Amino acid sequence: MSKLTGFFKDVVSEMRKVSWPRRKELTRYTIVVLSTVVFMAVYFGLVDLGISRVLEWYIAL
């Protein structure tokens, strides 16, 4: 049991050392992540649509 208590004390000690982002930084990071996700979803959707059309055209031959 003492090992478990020591582990959690170490966790709390390390968490105090963490540099947490400020509100402005967090907002900026969130916008970057969401815009990247939307861009990648649109990109892969268009690539998938293109490949599907090419395969449909090839099968129809």
Side-chain angles (χ1 to χ4, degrees):
M1 192 65 171
S2 66
K3 287 184 179 183
L4 187 62
T5 304
F7 171 75
F8 283 115
K9 284 182 181 180
D10 290 342
V11 168
V12 169
S13 172
E14 290 298 320
M15 291 301 289
R16 287 191 178 126
K17 297 176 187 177
V18 173
S19 173
W20 298 100
R22 303 285 180 243
R23 186 174 198 80
K24 187 176 180 181
E25 292 171 327
L26 187 61
T27 303
R28 185 176 301 139
Y29 297 158
T30 303
I31 291 169
V32 168
V33 168
L34 291 177
S35 61
T36 303
V37 167
V38 168
F39 173 77
M40 295 304 289
V42 170
Y43 173 76
F44 284 117
L46 290 174
V47 169
D48 182 52
L49 182 64
I51 292 172
S52 297
R53 296 288 168 106
V54 168
L55 288 176
E56 287 174 3
W57 172 79
Y58 182 74
I59 291 172
L61 290 178

Coordinates of all heavy atoms in Angstrom, one line a residue:
M1 N 0.8 -1.2 0.0 CA 0.0 0.0 0.0 C 0.9 1.3 0.0 O 0.5 2.3 -0.6 CB -0.9 0.0 1.2 CG -2.0 1.0 1.2 SD -3.1 0.6 -0.2 CE -4.4 1.8 0.1
S2 N 2.0 1.2 0.6 CA 2.9 2.4 0.7 C 3.5 2.7 -0.7 O 3.7 3.9 -1.0 CB 4.0 2.1 1.7 OG 4.9 1.1 1.2
K3 N 3.7 1.7 -1.5 CA 4.1 1.9 -2.9 C 3.1 2.7 -3.7 O 3.4 3.6 -4.5 CB 4.5 0.6 -3.6 CG 5.7 -0.1 -3.1 CD 6.0 -1.3 -3.9 CE 7.3 -2.0 -3.5 NZ 7.6 -3.2 -4.3
L4 N 1.8 2.3 -3.5 CA 0.8 3.0 -4.2 C 0.6 4.5 -3.8 O 0.5 5.4 -4.6 CB -0.6 2.3 -4.0 CG -1.8 2.8 -4.8 CD1 -1.5 2.6 -6.3 CD2 -3.0 2.0 -4.4
T5 N 0.7 4.7 -2.5 CA 0.7 6.1 -2.0 C 1.9 6.9 -2.5 O 1.7 8.0 -2.9 CB 0.7 6.0 -0.4 OG1 -0.4 5.2 0.0 CG2 0.5 7.4 0.2
G6 N 3.0 6.3 -2.5 CA 4.2 6.9 -3.0 C 4.1 7.3 -4.5 O 4.5 8.3 -4.9
F7 N 3.5 6.3 -5.2 CA 3.3 6.6 -6.6 C 2.4 7.8 -6.9 O 2.7 8.7 -7.7 CB 2.6 5.3 -7.3 CG 2.2 5.6 -8.7 CD1 3.1 5.6 -9.7 CD2 0.8 5.7 -9.0 CE1 2.7 5.9 -11.0 CE2 0.4 6.0 -10.3 CZ 1.3 6.0 -11.3
F8 N 1.3 7.9 -6.1 CA 0.4 9.0 -6.3 C 1.0 10.3 -5.8 O 0.8 11.4 -6.4 CB -1.0 8.8 -5.6 CG -1.8 7.8 -6.4 CD1 -2.2 6.6 -5.9 CD2 -2.3 8.2 -7.7 CE1 -2.9 5.7 -6.7 CE2 -3.1 7.3 -8.5 CZ -3.4 6.1 -7.9
K9 N 1.8 10.3 -4.8 CA 2.6 11.5 -4.4 C 3.5 12.0 -5.5 O 3.6 13.2 -5.8 CB 3.3 11.2 -3.1 CG 2.5 11.2 -1.9 CD 3.3 11.0 -0.6 CE 2.4 10.9 0.6 NZ 3.1 10.7 1.8
D10 N 4.2 11.0 -6.1 CA 5.1 11.4 -7.2 C 4.3 11.9 -8.4 O 4.8 12.9 -9.1 CB 5.9 10.1 -7.7 CG 6.9 9.7 -6.7 OD1 7.3 10.5 -5.8 OD2 7.4 8.5 -6.8
V11 N 3.1 11.4 -8.7 CA 2.3 11.9 -9.8 C 1.9 13.3 -9.5 O 2.0 14.2 -10.4 CB 1.0 11.0 -10.0 CG1 0.0 11.7 -10.9 CG2 1.4 9.6 -10.5
V12 N 1.4 13.6 -8.3 CA 1.0 15.0 -8.0 C 2.2 15.9 -8.1 O 2.1 17.0 -8.6 CB 0.4 15.0 -6.5 CG1 0.2 16.4 -6.1 CG2 -0.9 14.3 -6.5
S13 N 3.4 15.5 -7.6 CA 4.6 16.3 -7.7 C 4.9 16.6 -9.1 O 5.3 17.7 -9.5 CB 5.8 15.5 -7.0 OG 7.0 16.2 -7.2
E14 N 4.9 15.6 -10.0 CA 5.2 15.9 -11.4 C 4.1 16.7 -12.1 O 4.5 17.5 -13.0 CB 5.3 14.5 -12.2 CG 6.5 13.7 -11.8 CD 7.8 14.5 -12.1 OE1 7.9 15.1 -13.2 OE2 8.8 14.4 -11.3
M15 N 2.9 16.6 -11.8 CA 1.8 17.4 -12.4 C 2.0 18.9 -12.0 O 1.6 19.7 -12.8 CB 0.4 16.9 -12.0 CG 0.1 15.5 -12.6 SD 0.1 15.5 -14.4 CE -1.3 16.5 -14.7
R16 N 2.5 19.2 -10.9 CA 2.8 20.6 -10.5 C 3.9 21.2 -11.4 O 3.9 22.4 -11.5 CB 3.2 20.6 -9.0 CG 2.0 20.4 -8.1 CD 2.3 20.7 -6.7 NE 1.1 20.5 -5.8 CZ 1.1 19.7 -4.8 NH1 2.2 19.1 -4.4 NH2 0.0 19.6 -4.1
K17 N 4.7 20.4 -11.9 CA 5.8 20.9 -12.8 C 5.3 21.1 -14.2 O 6.1 21.8 -15.0 CB 7.0 19.9 -12.8 CG 7.6 19.6 -11.5 CD 8.7 18.6 -11.6 CE 9.3 18.2 -10.3 NZ 10.3 17.1 -10.4
V18 N 4.2 20.6 -14.6 CA 3.7 20.8 -15.9 C 3.3 22.2 -16.3 O 2.7 22.9 -15.4 CB 2.4 19.9 -16.2 CG1 1.8 20.1 -17.5 CG2 2.8 18.4 -16.0
S19 N 3.7 22.7 -17.4 CA 3.4 24.0 -17.9 C 2.1 23.9 -18.7 O 2.2 23.5 -19.9 CB 4.6 24.5 -18.7 OG 4.2 25.8 -19.3
W20 N 1.0 24.3 -18.1 CA -0.3 24.3 -18.8 C -0.4 25.5 -19.7 O 0.0 26.6 -19.4 CB -1.4 24.2 -17.8 CG -1.3 23.0 -16.9 CD1 -0.8 22.9 -15.7 CD2 -1.7 21.7 -17.3 NE1 -0.9 21.6 -15.2 CE2 -1.4 20.9 -16.2 CE3 -2.3 21.1 -18.4 CZ2 -1.7 19.5 -16.2 CZ3 -2.5 19.8 -18.5 CH2 -2.2 19.0 -17.3
P21 N -1.1 25.3 -20.9 CA -1.2 26.4 -21.8 C -2.2 27.4 -21.3 O -3.2 27.1 -20.6 CB -1.8 25.8 -23.1 CG -2.4 24.5 -22.7 CD -1.6 24.1 -21.5
R22 N -2.0 28.7 -21.6 CA -3.0 29.8 -21.2 C -4.2 29.6 -22.1 O -4.2 28.9 -23.1 CB -2.3 31.1 -21.4 CG -1.0 31.3 -20.6 CD -1.3 31.5 -19.2 NE -0.1 31.7 -18.4 CZ 0.3 30.8 -17.5 NH1 -0.4 29.8 -17.2 NH2 1.5 31.0 -16.8
R23 N -5.2 30.4 -21.7 CA -6.5 30.3 -22.4 C -6.3 30.7 -23.9 O -6.9 30.1 -24.8 CB -7.5 31.2 -21.8 CG -8.9 31.1 -22.3 CD -9.9 32.0 -21.5 NE -11.2 31.6 -21.7 CZ -11.9 30.6 -21.2 NH1 -11.2 29.8 -20.4 NH2 -13.1 30.4 -21.4
K24 N -5.6 31.7 -24.2 CA -5.4 32.2 -25.6 C -4.6 31.1 -26.4 O -5.0 30.9 -27.5 CB -4.6 33.5 -25.5 CG -4.4 34.2 -26.9 CD -3.7 35.5 -26.8 CE -3.6 36.2 -28.1 NZ -2.9 37.5 -28.0
E25 N -3.6 30.5 -25.8 CA -2.9 29.5 -26.5 C -3.8 28.3 -26.7 O -3.7 27.7 -27.8 CB -1.7 29.0 -25.7 CG -0.6 30.1 -25.5 CD 0.5 29.6 -24.5 OE1 0.1 29.0 -23.5 OE2 1.6 30.0 -24.7
L26 N -4.6 27.9 -25.8 CA -5.4 26.8 -25.9 C -6.5 27.0 -27.0 O -6.7 26.1 -27.8 CB -6.1 26.5 -24.6 CG -7.0 25.2 -24.5 CD1 -6.1 24.0 -24.7 CD2 -7.6 25.1 -23.1
T27 N -7.0 28.2 -27.1 CA -8.0 28.5 -28.1 C -7.3 28.4 -29.5 O -7.8 27.8 -30.4 CB -8.5 29.9 -27.9 OG1 -9.1 30.0 -26.6 CG2 -9.5 30.3 -29.0
R28 N -6.1 28.9 -29.6 CA -5.4 28.9 -30.9 C -5.1 27.4 -31.3 O -5.2 27.0 -32.4 CB -4.1 29.7 -30.8 CG -3.3 29.7 -32.1 CD -2.1 30.6 -32.0 NE -2.4 32.0 -31.6 CZ -1.7 32.7 -30.7 NH1 -0.6 32.2 -30.2 NH2 -2.1 33.9 -30.4
Y29 N -4.6 26.6 -30.3 CA -4.3 25.2 -30.6 C -5.6 24.5 -31.0 O -5.6 23.6 -32.0 CB -3.7 24.5 -29.4 CG -2.4 25.1 -28.9 CD1 -2.0 24.9 -27.6 CD2 -1.6 25.8 -29.8 CE1 -0.8 25.3 -27.2 CE2 -0.3 26.3 -29.3 CZ 0.0 26.0 -28.0 OH 1.3 26.5 -27.6
T30 N -6.7 24.8 -30.4 CA -8.0 24.1 -30.7 C -8.4 24.5 -32.1 O -8.8 23.6 -32.9 CB -9.1 24.5 -29.7 OG1 -8.6 24.2 -28.4 CG2 -10.4 23.8 -30.0
I31 N -8.3 25.8 -32.5 CA -8.6 26.2 -33.9 C -7.7 25.5 -34.9 O -8.2 25.0 -35.9 CB -8.6 27.7 -34.0 CG1 -9.7 28.3 -33.2 CG2 -8.6 28.2 -35.4 CD1 -9.5 29.8 -33.0
V32 N -6.4 25.4 -34.6 CA -5.5 24.7 -35.5 C -5.9 23.3 -35.7 O -6.0 22.8 -36.8 CB -4.1 24.9 -35.0 CG1 -3.1 24.0 -35.8 CG2 -3.6 26.3 -35.2
V33 N -6.2 22.6 -34.6 CA -6.5 21.2 -34.7 C -7.8 21.0 -35.5 O -7.9 20.1 -36.4 CB -6.6 20.5 -33.3 CG1 -7.3 19.2 -33.3 CG2 -5.2 20.5 -32.7
L34 N -8.9 21.8 -35.2 CA -10.1 21.6 -35.8 C -10.0 21.9 -37.3 O -10.6 21.2 -38.1 CB -11.2 22.5 -35.1 CG -11.6 22.0 -33.8 CD1 -12.6 23.0 -33.2 CD2 -12.2 20.6 -33.8
S35 N -9.3 23.0 -37.7 CA -9.2 23.3 -39.1 C -8.4 22.2 -39.8 O -8.7 21.9 -41.0 CB -8.6 24.7 -39.2 OG -7.3 24.7 -38.7
T36 N -7.4 21.7 -39.2 CA -6.6 20.6 -39.8 C -7.5 19.4 -40.0 O -7.5 18.7 -41.1 CB -5.4 20.2 -39.0 OG1 -4.6 21.4 -38.8 CG2 -4.6 19.1 -39.6
V37 N -8.3 19.0 -39.1 CA -9.2 17.9 -39.2 C -10.2 18.1 -40.3 O -10.5 17.2 -41.1 CB -9.9 17.6 -37.8 CG1 -11.1 16.6 -38.0 CG2 -9.0 17.1 -36.8
V38 N -10.8 19.3 -40.4 CA -11.8 19.6 -41.5 C -11.1 19.5 -42.8 O -11.6 18.9 -43.8 CB -12.4 21.0 -41.2 CG1 -13.2 21.4 -42.5 CG2 -13.3 20.9 -40.0
F39 N -9.9 20.1 -42.9 CA -9.1 20.1 -44.2 C -8.8 18.7 -44.6 O -9.0 18.3 -45.8 CB -7.9 20.9 -44.1 CG -7.0 20.8 -45.3 CD1 -7.3 21.5 -46.4 CD2 -5.9 20.0 -45.2 CE1 -6.4 21.4 -47.5 CE2 -5.0 19.9 -46.4 CZ -5.3 20.6 -47.5
M40 N -8.4 17.9 -43.7 CA -8.0 16.5 -44.0 C -9.3 15.7 -44.4 O -9.2 14.8 -45.3 CB -7.3 15.8 -42.9 CG -5.9 16.4 -42.6 SD -4.8 16.5 -44.0 CE -4.4 14.8 -44.2
A41 N -10.4 15.9 -43.7 CA -11.6 15.2 -44.1 C -12.1 15.5 -45.5 O -12.5 14.7 -46.2 CB -12.7 15.5 -43.0
V42 N -12.0 16.8 -45.8 CA -12.4 17.2 -47.2 C -11.4 16.7 -48.2 O -11.9 16.1 -49.2 CB -12.5 18.8 -47.3 CG1 -12.6 19.2 -48.7 CG2 -13.6 19.3 -46.4
Y43 N -10.2 16.7 -47.9 CA -9.1 16.2 -48.8 C -9.4 14.7 -49.1 O -9.4 14.3 -50.3 CB -7.7 16.5 -48.3 CG -6.7 15.8 -49.1 CD1 -6.2 16.4 -50.3 CD2 -6.0 14.7 -48.6 CE1 -5.2 15.8 -51.1 CE2 -5.0 14.1 -49.4 CZ -4.6 14.6 -50.6 OH -3.7 14.1 -51.3
F44 N -9.5 13.9 -48.0 CA -9.6 12.5 -48.2 C -11.0 12.2 -48.8 O -11.1 11.2 -49.6 CB -9.4 11.7 -46.9 CG -7.9 11.6 -46.6 CD1 -7.5 12.2 -45.4 CD2 -7.0 11.0 -47.4 CE1 -6.1 12.1 -45.1 CE2 -5.7 10.9 -47.1 CZ -5.2 11.5 -45.9
G45 N -12.0 12.9 -48.5 CA -13.3 12.7 -49.2 C -13.2 12.9 -50.7 O -13.8 12.2 -51.4
L46 N -12.5 14.0 -51.1 CA -12.4 14.2 -52.5 C -11.5 13.2 -53.2 O -11.8 12.7 -54.3 CB -11.8 15.6 -52.8 CG -12.7 16.8 -52.4 CD1 -11.9 18.1 -52.5 CD2 -13.9 16.8 -53.3
V47 N -10.4 12.7 -52.5 CA -9.6 11.7 -53.1 C -10.4 10.4 -53.2 O -10.4 9.7 -54.2 CB -8.3 11.4 -52.2 CG1 -7.6 10.2 -52.6 CG2 -7.4 12.6 -52.3
D48 N -11.2 10.1 -52.2 CA -12.0 8.9 -52.3 C -13.1 9.0 -53.4 O -13.3 8.0 -54.1 CB -12.7 8.7 -50.9 CG -13.6 7.4 -50.9 OD1 -13.0 6.4 -51.2 OD2 -14.8 7.6 -50.5
L49 N -13.7 10.1 -53.5 CA -14.6 10.3 -54.6 C -14.0 10.2 -56.0 O -14.5 9.5 -56.9 CB -15.3 11.7 -54.5 CG -16.3 12.1 -55.5 CD1 -17.5 11.2 -55.3 CD2 -16.7 13.5 -55.4
G50 N -12.8 10.7 -56.1 CA -12.1 10.6 -57.4 C -11.7 9.1 -57.7 O -11.9 8.7 -58.8
I51 N -11.2 8.4 -56.7 CA -10.9 7.0 -56.9 C -12.1 6.2 -57.3 O -12.1 5.3 -58.1 CB -10.1 6.5 -55.7 CG1 -8.7 7.1 -55.6 CG2 -10.0 4.9 -55.8 CD1 -8.0 6.8 -54.3
S52 N -13.2 6.5 -56.6 CA -14.5 5.8 -56.8 C -14.9 6.0 -58.3 O -15.4 5.1 -59.0 CB -15.5 6.2 -55.9 OG -15.2 5.9 -54.6
R53 N -14.9 7.3 -58.7 CA -15.3 7.6 -60.1 C -14.4 6.9 -61.1 O -14.9 6.4 -62.1 CB -15.3 9.1 -60.3 CG -16.2 9.9 -59.5 CD -17.7 9.6 -60.0 NE -18.6 10.1 -59.0 CZ -19.3 11.2 -59.2 NH1 -19.2 11.9 -60.3 NH2 -20.2 11.6 -58.3
V54 N -13.1 6.8 -60.9 CA -12.2 6.2 -61.8 C -12.5 4.7 -61.9 O -12.6 4.1 -62.9 CB -10.7 6.4 -61.4 CG1 -9.8 5.5 -62.2 CG2 -10.4 7.9 -61.6
L55 N -12.7 4.1 -60.7 CA -13.0 2.6 -60.7 C -14.4 2.4 -61.3 O -14.5 1.4 -62.0 CB -13.0 2.1 -59.2 CG -11.6 2.0 -58.6 CD1 -11.7 1.6 -57.2 CD2 -10.7 1.1 -59.4
E56 N -15.4 3.2 -61.1 CA -16.7 3.0 -61.8 C -16.5 3.1 -63.3 O -17.1 2.3 -64.0 CB -17.7 4.0 -61.3 CG -18.2 3.8 -59.9 CD -19.1 4.9 -59.4 OE1 -19.3 5.9 -60.1 OE2 -19.5 4.8 -58.2
W57 N -15.7 4.1 -63.7 CA -15.5 4.2 -65.2 C -14.8 3.0 -65.7 O -15.2 2.5 -66.8 CB -14.7 5.5 -65.4 CG -14.2 5.6 -66.8 CD1 -14.9 6.1 -67.9 CD2 -12.9 5.3 -67.3 NE1 -14.2 6.1 -69.0 CE2 -12.9 5.6 -68.7 CE3 -11.8 4.8 -66.7 CZ2 -11.8 5.4 -69.5 CZ3 -10.7 4.6 -67.5 CH2 -10.7 4.9 -68.9
Y58 N -13.8 2.5 -65.0 CA -13.0 1.3 -65.5 C -13.9 0.1 -65.5 O -13.8 -0.7 -66.4 CB -11.8 1.1 -64.5 CG -10.9 0.0 -65.0 CD1 -10.1 0.1 -66.1 CD2 -10.9 -1.2 -64.3 CE1 -9.3 -0.9 -66.5 CE2 -10.2 -2.3 -64.7 CZ -9.3 -2.1 -65.8 OH -8.5 -3.1 -66.2
I59 N -14.8 -0.1 -64.5 CA -15.6 -1.3 -64.5 C -16.7 -1.2 -65.6 O -17.1 -2.2 -66.2 CB -16.3 -1.4 -63.1 CG1 -15.2 -1.8 -62.1 CG2 -17.4 -2.5 -63.1 CD1 -15.7 -1.8 -60.6
A60 N -17.1 0.0 -65.9 CA -18.2 0.2 -66.9 C -17.6 -0.1 -68.3 O -18.4 -0.3 -69.3 CB -18.7 1.6 -66.9
L61 N -16.3 -0.2 -68.5 CA -15.7 -0.5 -69.9 C -16.1 -1.8 -70.3 O -16.4 -2.8 -70.4 CB -14.2 -0.3 -69.9 CG -13.7 1.1 -69.8 CD1 -12.2 1.1 -69.7 CD2 -14.2 2.0 -70.9

